[in-house]
Amino acid sequence: MSDPVSIRTSLAGRRIGVTGATGFLGTALVERLLRCVPECQVAVLVRPGRRGAADRVRREIVRNDCFDRLRREWGDRFDAEIGARLLVVAGDVGQDGLGLDDDGRAVLAACDAVVHSAASVSFDAPLDAAVEVNLLGGSRLAGAMADLPRPEPAHLVAVSTAYVAGARRGDAPEKQLAETPFSPDVAWRDEVSAARRVRADAEAASRGPDQLAQFHKQARHELGAAGTPLLSERAEKLREEWVSRALVDAGRGRAQSLGWPDAYAYTKALGERALLENRGPVPVTIVRPSIIESAAAEPRPGWIRGFRMAEPVIISYARGLLQSFPGIPEGVIDVIPVDFVVAAILAVLAAGPDPGGPTVYQVASGSVNPLRYRRLVDLVTSYFRENPLYDADGQPIVTPEWSFPGRGKVQRQLQRADRLLTTAEKASRSLPMRGRQAEWTARLEERRTLVGRALGYVELYGAYTETEARFRVDRLLDLHGRLTGEERSEFQFDPRAVDWDRYVQEIHLPSIVVHARVRATPGKRTTPDRHERGKRAVLAPERHIAAFDLENTLIASNVVESWSWLATRRMPDADRLRFTLRTLREAPALLALDRRDRGDFLRHFYRRYEGASLEELREDVPELFSTLLIGKSFPAGIRRVREHRALGHRTLLITGALEILVEPFRPLFDEVVCARLSDRDGRLTGELDHSPPTGEARALVMADYAAAEGLELAESVAYADSASDLPMLEAVGHPVAVNPEVKLATIARRRGWHTEHWSRAPGYSPPVLPLAPRLMGRPRERAR
């Protein structure tokens, strides 16, 4: 055994640099250094973000619950200690030169050692992003450290992953990959060049005319007549997603062709090779953890940040959404608590670089304390049968019997389910449903999303449940044995110390249930449900504006029904049948036009008012209101307008209906914006005075009104029923979907918007056709 190691003595008063401090491992490392190493300073290198690096560190690191223990122990001196001992450097390992300024270089030059934990840790990251960060990040950092003005370069501890071993069977030793049998010998520079070309090729392909037309078609299918700006924005978003998927597929395909499970392990493996080749005089140690999970003890049992690999699968199983996952029952799930990895890194820092050259430590459990897949499943199953999750009605969810099928079988089952649900969802979107019926389609979309997510889990993580590599930890155990007696228990990283039964059932699972915010208590809710919370939010006294659409939002009627009623008011009986048949014949074309562009539809449809007498319209509108519109109104909606007014909110009606028709609603609102037809000699021309308030025009109306009145749209509410009203809904901080049609129901559910279902007054029986009671007298020459 080599010389003893003392973490406190070796690291006390030193300055340690850390990249990736906003991540799971990095945050835990920064907290442990500050709490457990006397007078140690930590310099964190973080991307600045929109608000600057210091603000990002404050929000994403210091305010994380990882620091709760330190906050309690330091008490009133917490802020002062953090200010003195936590140094912030703006930089990016994804850029050549790290993007450092002179101050940043000076801080880095004063570091005695640097831990490089920054990584694109997603298993399905786009290929070029994984290459720039995982493959090149360590080399960039080593290059910057070698150029710093200091007598000797600082020690660089690079965090990799044990899965750089690839699809190996048997022992995977703690050695450099070049010294390991069966490790692919890949020219990493060629891989970098190829990844950058893939990005350029995908970008070019996404901009082809046929592909752009497909994105626009898909955007219109999702958003309907939402207006050109939103359709264009969504089409561009679809293009970016298409490019990202192409890069994800390219990364996965290239990795698997070389024997790695995914782009993360592939780029980390090549990153090790690049770092060792480019390190120059910088002494390097590589630390390879296996799958990092919640803390066993430090800073508290169960602490975790974000969902790791296993959590989505476990929670999906507990919710009854997943009943099988590929894997070998007797296979090993190689996981390690995050505090074990942190303690191992601290010990590596304290031991310093090996004079003989770069060394490797693996922090893994499978070779000395294996957690078998079947054992994990049994522990999870028994836990959730004793501590079930509960559905929306407060009833316990019964977990299914787990099976161990092959990965290919599960993938095929999920792919079939995904195709069926996608077909059903597309068909349902074409149906004229709204309100609670439309929510059925939204739930169908949610179910398809869940199936797609499960398929993603299988594709991403299936290889990790079937791995047969056993990561040796001989050097790790030797290092742990060199710690002084007191520190050996305080800085525990011997994988043999983990009691898997206790860790899984008493620490990890309770923690992820809380972290996932799933329902873990039975019975009816004693706290307000989601709907009630949404209602309270929109009726909060601090709201500024309440903007409403009219048709199918406050009344179950539309411009076609109003026109039909007025057109037949003075029409002879003989003409009514012809009028009805003609209207029914035109209905599909009108509906199609309305779905394409609401403004074009209104301009086209209002031509029918050409020649109508203003005097006769003014006579007939009050009866239209009392006999048709009142009966078709939603009492809950009218009450909501009055509730907003009672709270002092400004009420605004924005509708494409004609001014003369909305006049009876004017007393409810502070401001009414609607369509207006021009007239000549007391007769309407059929031409609008100005563009109808539809699509993005509604958002502009609201913005102008808010600016003129000194109000904030972020503190305002908007009510609408259709995807064509998306600009209006997106303009405010509190959108409300009212009796939404299918597209809006899907969007509202996906975005978590508040939804209201308002009904007509009971007892009202609407006529089969909206024809007016005939008024005896001279017919009107209005309908065309």
Side-chain angles (χ1 to χ4, degrees), residues 457-532:
Y457 296 156
V458 171
E459 292 173 344
L460 288 176
Y461 308 140
Y464 289 85
T465 62
E466 298 175 345
T467 184
E468 296 184 67
R470 297 296 173 265
F471 308 119
R472 298 295 299 270
V473 290
D474 306 277
R475 184 175 280 124
L476 180 82
L477 296 179
D478 176 70
L479 178 61
H480 187 265
R482 291 164 57 193
L483 292 180
T484 60
E486 181 182 338
E487 288 192 349
R488 203 172 298 161
S489 58
E490 183 179 354
F491 295 97
Q492 179 62 263
F493 57 86
D494 183 344
R496 295 171 298 188
V498 182
D499 178 343
W500 290 120
D501 288 13
R502 177 179 175 274
Y503 173 76
V504 171
Q505 293 203 321
E506 298 180 24
I507 296 175
H508 186 63
L509 293 179
S511 174
I512 68 169
V513 166
V514 172
H515 198 68
R517 298 181 180 179
V518 289
R519 188 172 182 184
T521 55
K524 293 186 177 297
R525 290 183 181 271
T526 57
T527 56
D529 61 15
R530 179 178 173 180
H531 178 80
E532 185 60 29

Side-chain angles (χ1 to χ4, degrees), residues 11 13-18 39-44 87 89 100 102-114 144-145 147-155:
L11 301 183
R14 297 176 70 187
R15 178 181 291 181
I16 309 298
V18 178
E39 303 305 319
C40 172
Q41 283 190 320
V42 182
V44 294
L87 311 178
V89 178
L100 295 173
D102 290 341
D103 291 339
R105 278 187 287 272
V107 172
L108 192 61
C111 289
D112 300 289
V114 177
M145 292 171 64
D147 293 338
L148 293 173
R150 51 178 294 135
E152 293 181 357
H155 180 199

Side-chain angles (χ1 to χ4, degrees), residues 426-586:
K426 287 181 179 179
S428 65
R429 283 190 176 186
S430 64
L431 300 176
M433 298 186 296
R434 63 174 54 250
R436 297 189 187 279
Q437 291 178 326
E439 284 209 333
W440 174 82
T441 298
R443 286 192 293 271
L444 192 66
E445 190 253 3
E446 183 181 40
R447 183 68 184 177
R448 183 185 61 79
T449 300
L450 291 172
V451 169
R453 192 177 301 159
L455 180 59
Y457 296 156
V458 171
E459 292 173 344
L460 288 176
Y461 308 140
Y464 289 85
T465 62
E466 298 175 345
T467 184
E468 296 184 67
R470 297 296 173 265
F471 308 119
R472 298 295 299 270
V473 290
D474 306 277
R475 184 175 280 124
L476 180 82
L477 296 179
D478 176 70
L479 178 61
H480 187 265
R482 291 164 57 193
L483 292 180
T484 60
E486 181 182 338
E487 288 192 349
R488 203 172 298 161
S489 58
E490 183 179 354
F491 295 97
Q492 179 62 263
F493 57 86
D494 183 344
R496 295 171 298 188
V498 182
D499 178 343
W500 290 120
D501 288 13
R502 177 179 175 274
Y503 173 76
V504 171
Q505 293 203 321
E506 298 180 24
I507 296 175
H508 186 63
L509 293 179
S511 174
I512 68 169
V513 166
V514 172
H515 198 68
R517 298 181 180 179
V518 289
R519 188 172 182 184
T521 55
K524 293 186 177 297
R525 290 183 181 271
T526 57
T527 56
D529 61 15
R530 179 178 173 180
H531 178 80
E532 185 60 29
R533 291 195 303 271
K535 183 177 177 181
R536 290 182 183 182
V538 300
L539 288 174
E542 59 267 26
R543 300 294 165 253
H544 291 183
I545 300 171
F548 291 82
D549 182 28
L550 178 63
E551 294 164 347
N552 292 311
T553 301
L554 294 176
I555 59 173
S557 186
N558 53 55
V559 297
V560 177
E561 289 186 336
S562 297
W563 175 78
S564 297
W565 194 98
L566 292 168
T568 57
R569 179 64 170 149
R570 301 166 189 267
M571 184 179 290
D573 291 341
D575 294 337
R576 288 187 170 219
L577 179 60
R578 287 193 297 271
F579 171 86
T580 300
L581 293 175
R582 185 179 67 187
T583 303
L584 291 174
R585 187 174 62 250
E586 294 173 335

